[in-house]
Amino acid sequence: MAYQEKTMKNYIKNKTALITGVTSGIGRQIAIDLAAMKVNLILLGRDKKKLKKLKKILSKQSKREISTYALDVRDRESVEKTMKKILKKQTVDILINSAGLALGMEQIDKGDSDHWDAMIDTNLKGLLYVSKPVIAQMRSLGTAHIVNLGSVAGKTAYPGGNVYCATKAAVHSLGESMNADLMSTNIKVTTIAPGAVNTNFSSTRFDGDQKKADAVYKGYTPLYAEDISQAVLSVLNTPKHVNIQYLDIMPTAQRNPYLLHRKED
Ligand code: 8X3
């Protein structure tokens, strides 16, 4: 068939997206933007109050179905139970694995083992616990899309990044394996690998030390949650035959974790 010029189409209208980590940052923004694209939403997060508030905001602007589930993706048993409940009554066309965090920036021999567990359990094991039952259902749908939030940290490790970098490298690797395992289906898998994004990421990493967190984004324009969400939307809003498997997004001032151009004040 000859190439035809077409205007932008909404391929995801009326689809249903399940998003983890929606109570802040990138996950929250993706939920807001998908609601505007007329997508039904299943929102997962740890904080019941924040979930309730987000649902209220989104319900006002969207006539789509929105349900929320308070859930810690680290808790395998409750993930299994909750996912069973969700998948019994809804089909998930889009899965956004956004829940994740970094804790600490100590050298490898000084790292806090509890931090390590929390990062591995959330960023890696939590993603697996949620994805497994959703993918099983997606196979029966035939056509679906999974987006995993990776990081430039998963591509290029940096001092003090150690376990966080390792979990994100594992997410990148899982994305490749998911694509391989799902080769014979129309289920697409995308890894999004952002550089510095100004969310609560750094204040969480530095245990609420706002001075340290602000210093991470000083002297240049970082990315914002909106930038990542826009990229996720454009990756999702593609025809069935287009699978964008991997996307790096960096602030223009940052070319990799070591090359960051800061202006002095
Ligand atoms: C966040 C990017 O460079 O702070 O995943 O690790 S970085």
Side-chain angles (χ1 to χ4, degrees), residues 16-23 26-35 39-45 51 54 58 67 69 73 92 94-99 130 147 149 236:
T16 298
L18 186 147
I19 312 170
T20 68
V22 294
T23 48
I26 295 171
R28 185 175 190 275
Q29 189 60 47
I30 294 172
I32 292 169
D33 291 338
L34 283 180
V39 172
N40 301 307
L41 298 172
I42 303 165
L43 307 175
L44 270 55
L51 279 174
L54 181 61
L58 294 179
S67 48
Y69 295 85
V73 296
V92 175
I94 298 166
L95 168 63
I96 314 279
N97 280 311
S98 166
V130 172
V147 176
L149 255 299
L236 288 175

Side-chain angles (χ1 to χ4, degrees), residues 184-201:
S184 62
T185 72
N186 284 318
I187 304 168
K188 313 174 192 183
V189 184
T190 302
T191 302
I192 303 277
V197 189
N198 193 350
T199 57
N200 61 348
F201 175 84

Side-chain angles (χ1 to χ4, degrees), residues 20-29 45-47 50 98-104 149 164 195-217 222-226 228:
T20 68
V22 294
T23 48
S24 62
I26 295 171
R28 185 175 190 275
Q29 189 60 47
R46 276 189 298 171
D47 189 321
K50 286 187 184 166
S98 166
L101 80 172
L103 293 172
L149 255 299
Y164 174 68
V197 189
N198 193 350
T199 57
N200 61 348
F201 175 84
S202 290
S203 61
T204 302
R205 176 174 237 172
F206 299 121
D207 195 24
D209 187 333
Q210 205 48 45
K211 227 172 151 189
K212 266 193 189 174
D214 290 345
V216 174
Y217 309 109
L223 295 170
Y224 295 97
E226 290 84 346
I228 308 305

Side-chain angles (χ1 to χ4, degrees), residues 38-39 60 63-64 100 143 191 223 238 250 257:
K38 302 192 185 326
V39 172
K60 265 190 201 156
K63 300 244 166 334
R64 306 295 127 168
T143 299
T191 302
L223 295 170
T238 46
M250 307 291 291

Side-chain angles (χ1 to χ4, degrees), residues 95-201:
L95 168 63
I96 314 279
N97 280 311
S98 166
L101 80 172
L103 293 172
M105 250 191 127
E106 286 76 31
Q107 301 281 296
I108 192 78
D109 51 320
K110 307 236 163 52
D112 179 327
S113 306
D114 289 337
H115 285 171
W116 293 355
D117 285 345
M119 289 188 278
I120 293 167
D121 291 350
T122 309
N123 303 1
L124 183 56
K125 289 160 77 180
L127 182 148
L128 286 167
Y129 299 156
V130 172
S131 301
K132 184 180 170 182
V134 177
I135 293 173
Q137 190 200 54
M138 282 175 166
R139 277 195 192 271
S140 67
L141 298 180
T143 299
H145 200 152
I146 301 158
V147 176
N148 297 325
L149 255 299
S151 168
V152 66
K155 211 173 79 159
T156 309
Y158 51 80
N162 45 67
V163 175
Y164 174 68
C165 296
T167 61
K168 289 299 178 178
V171 170
H172 291 199
S173 172
L174 270 179
E176 286 184 31
S177 285
M178 285 180 180
N179 265 313
D181 287 350
L182 297 167
M183 179 185 75
S184 62
T185 72
N186 284 318
I187 304 168
K188 313 174 192 183
V189 184
T190 302
T191 302
I192 303 277
V197 189
N198 193 350
T199 57
N200 61 348
F201 175 84

